[in-house]
Amino acid sequence: NNMVVVHEMNRSFQKAQASYQDALDVYHNTCRRFEEEGDSDVERTNRNVARMISACRSEQERKSLHDRAAKIAKRVEYEKHFATRKNLLNDAVATLQMALELEGDALGHSHPLAASTLIQMGKYHYEMREFDSAVMEIHKAVQILRNALGGNHPQVGRALLLLASVYERQGPKITPHGTSKDDVELELYVDALEPLKATLGNVHDDVGFLYVKIGYLYGKKGDRNMALLAYKAALKAY
């Protein structure tokens, strides 16, 4: 079953279906475990086989919608007027919304691929300067990825960094009343640290850069000890 996660993330749904079916055959023929006997693992694997069949059926339509949204967004690069750019991006978001609904029907609304679609929608909303919508979609994607892949998965780290960058650039416009922009940003960078280190290791330029961000924000808060620790960690990472 663990192999299937990789296949699903790569959109290789036929391979995922075959892997689930292989697991089901092992349950039936080797372990002598059956869904009729109320075996939850077998029942879940059986449901996953059916889910992959559904995913295979809708994959072409979903891919077509993602491709159409990307082509619409590409046209934004050649438009100078913000109103026209916004109209195009609205069309791209609406197209991705249709893809998201299909993904929910075929894979479930808590599937990592649904999170990827939400992140792309968030990026488009950011370009439209609709920052609240961007934050809401990316934050929802982070929750989905954490639940589906675990807190230390690289996709969780990347999504958290994206969310932190939105707060860094637009914090005063989106931070809830009574909450410090720097506190929100710092929390996101700290949360992104472990997933990033799990992917890149302790010695990497991106890890060092993240420690520098954390050190700078601790310095702004007046916490010199934590700032110093973060800067020292940045030197080791570099």
Side-chain angles (χ1 to χ4, degrees), residues 89-105:
L89 288 167
N90 267 321
D91 289 345
V93 168
T95 303
L96 286 181
Q97 182 63 47
M98 289 189 285
L100 185 64
E101 290 170 4
L102 286 175
E103 286 161 356
D105 291 340

Side-chain angles (χ1 to χ4, degrees), residues 9-10 112 115-116 119-120 123 138-139 141-143 145-146 149-166 169 188-200 204 206 210:
M9 293 302 295
N10 291 332
S116 297
I119 286 172
Q120 191 58 58
K123 290 178 179 179
I138 299 170
H139 190 269
V142 169
Q143 292 177 316
L145 292 171
R146 274 180 170 155
L149 304 176
N152 279 346
H153 195 277
Q155 288 205 31
V156 174
R158 286 194 289 269
L160 285 167
L161 287 176
L162 178 61
L163 193 55
S165 71
V166 175
R169 296 181 182 123
L188 290 168
Y189 281 130
V190 170
D191 286 349
L193 188 57
E194 289 307 317
L196 200 65
K197 286 164 61 178
T199 309
L200 303 174
H204 194 280
D206 289 346
L210 185 52

Side-chain angles (χ1 to χ4, degrees), residues 18-218:
S19 294
Y20 278 128
Q21 188 61 57
D22 288 344
L24 200 58
D25 290 343
V26 169
Y27 281 136
H28 288 168
N29 301 323
T30 304
C31 304
R32 311 304 296 172
R33 295 168 61 181
F34 302 93
E35 52 269 34
E36 292 85 357
E37 298 173 357
D39 191 306
S40 59
D41 291 335
V42 179
E43 288 178 354
R44 182 174 60 253
T45 304
N46 210 22
R47 288 195 300 270
N48 285 333
V49 171
R51 188 166 58 87
M52 287 304 101
I53 292 172
S54 176
C56 288
R57 287 173 180 164
S58 66
E59 169 61 5
Q60 193 56 47
E61 184 178 1
R62 288 183 285 112
K63 184 178 184 301
S64 176
L65 288 168
H66 277 278
D67 289 345
R68 189 195 310 170
K71 287 178 181 177
I72 294 171
K74 185 71 176 175
R75 291 166 55 192
V76 172
E77 298 176 13
Y78 306 100
E79 292 292 343
K80 296 181 179 179
H81 299 291
F82 178 73
T84 305
R85 292 164 64 90
K86 187 171 183 178
N87 286 336
L88 287 170
L89 288 167
N90 267 321
D91 289 345
V93 168
T95 303
L96 286 181
Q97 182 63 47
M98 289 189 285
L100 185 64
E101 290 170 4
L102 286 175
E103 286 161 356
D105 291 340
L107 298 164
H109 294 287
S110 58
H111 194 278
L113 289 181
S116 297
T117 301
L118 282 166
I119 286 172
Q120 191 58 58
M121 292 169 67
K123 290 178 179 179
Y124 291 158
H125 273 126
Y126 182 87
E127 289 188 52
M128 287 189 279
R129 302 176 189 172
E130 295 178 357
F131 305 120
D132 286 336
S133 294
V135 166
M136 180 184 68
E137 286 157 348
I138 299 170
H139 190 269
K140 185 176 180 180
V142 169
Q143 292 177 316
I144 291 172
L145 292 171
R146 274 180 170 155
N147 291 335
L149 304 176
N152 279 346
H153 195 277
Q155 288 205 31
V156 174
R158 286 194 289 269
L160 285 167
L161 287 176
L162 178 61
L163 193 55
S165 71
V166 175
Y167 275 96
E168 181 179 1
R169 296 181 182 123
Q170 307 295 337
K173 299 176 183 176
I174 55 178
T175 304
H177 181 70
T179 305
S180 165
K181 160 194 168 304
D182 290 341
D183 286 345
V184 175
E185 191 182 334
L186 176 60
E187 182 179 353
L188 290 168
Y189 281 130
V190 170
D191 286 349
L193 188 57
E194 289 307 317
L196 200 65
K197 286 164 61 178
T199 309
L200 303 174
N202 292 324
V203 180
H204 194 280
D205 286 353
D206 289 346
V207 174
F209 179 73
L210 185 52
Y211 271 121
V212 169
K213 289 275 193 185
I214 292 170
Y216 169 73
L217 288 166
Y218 271 123

